[in-house]
Amino acid sequence: MNIIDAEKEIFELTKKQAEAFDFGFDGGGKAYIYSLKNEPILALIPKRDSKEIFAIIALNKNLKTENGLNPKSKISEIQNKYPSIKINQDLMMDWEYIFDKKNNWDFVFMTNGKNRIGEYQKSEMSAKPKKAESKMDWITIK
């Protein structure tokens, strides 16, 4: 879908431009955040120099996955749905994410060296989540 067609479906929301980098995408592209009454609902990331949507960012807790997770779900809630899930480091952004391979979703946690959810033996290896009460910041849908 392209951004023009998507905006026809979300016409009641206000639009604000941001950088795709704010959501972990490098390359200098743009992101568009859509809000209702100043509350961010979602963001659309088009492919660079294109109107075609590359990713959707679910930001609001009222946006739920088919299994009931939302962008403010806790690690413990994610583990209930995915018992063997692992968390990964995003080395470019210095935060963490859980990847749902079946749906091609990333559950993103804007952590840093002071509040890591996983304990990593090596920088490019995943880890078992250690902080069950940590809440995700958004869901990236590709």
Side-chain angles (χ1 to χ4, degrees):
M1 178 180 273
N2 70 45
I3 218 155
I4 295 165
D5 292 334
E7 287 180 344
K8 290 176 186 174
E9 302 297 323
I10 55 175
F11 63 90
E12 294 177 354
L13 304 179
T14 58
K15 177 181 173 181
K16 181 175 114 177
Q17 185 173 302
E19 297 298 320
F21 186 78
D22 296 341
F23 297 100
F25 295 92
D26 64 351
K30 299 292 179 202
Y32 300 96
I33 301 171
Y34 299 86
S35 302
L36 181 62
K37 297 180 183 176
N38 294 322
E39 177 74 29
I41 305 297
L42 63 97
L44 299 177
I45 314 284
K47 290 182 179 178
R48 187 175 169 104
D49 300 325
S50 171
K51 297 289 183 196
E52 185 180 349
I53 296 172
F54 177 70
I56 300 169
I57 310 297
L59 298 166
N60 188 280
K61 67 180 180 180
N62 293 319
L63 298 176
K64 298 182 184 207
T65 64
E66 60 194 19
N67 61 12
L69 296 175
N70 69 70
K72 304 303 175 201
S73 292
K74 296 177 184 177
I75 289 284
S76 59
E77 295 169 314
I78 298 168
Q79 287 176 311
N80 285 338
K81 306 294 181 187
Y82 304 91
S84 60
I85 203 78
K86 302 271 185 161
I87 194 155
N88 306 283
Q89 291 184 71
D90 181 321
L91 299 175
M92 178 179 77
M93 300 306 294
D94 195 34
W95 56 46
E96 294 169 287
Y97 66 95
I98 293 173
F99 180 60
D100 174 341
K101 186 176 182 178
K102 177 184 171 199
N103 295 299
N104 201 21
W105 298 335
D106 288 332
F107 303 130
V108 179
F109 301 81
M110 292 184 70
T111 57
N112 58 45
K114 296 177 183 174
N115 62 349
R116 288 277 177 248
I117 297 166
E119 294 177 12
Y120 303 95
Q121 302 300 316
K122 294 183 181 179
S123 63
E124 294 185 20
M125 293 187 70
S126 56
K128 187 173 181 174
K130 299 290 183 186
K131 295 181 179 178
E133 296 304 304
S134 296
K135 291 183 181 180
M136 80 170 98
D137 291 286
W138 68 75
I139 301 171
T140 300
I141 304 158
K142 297 179 193 168

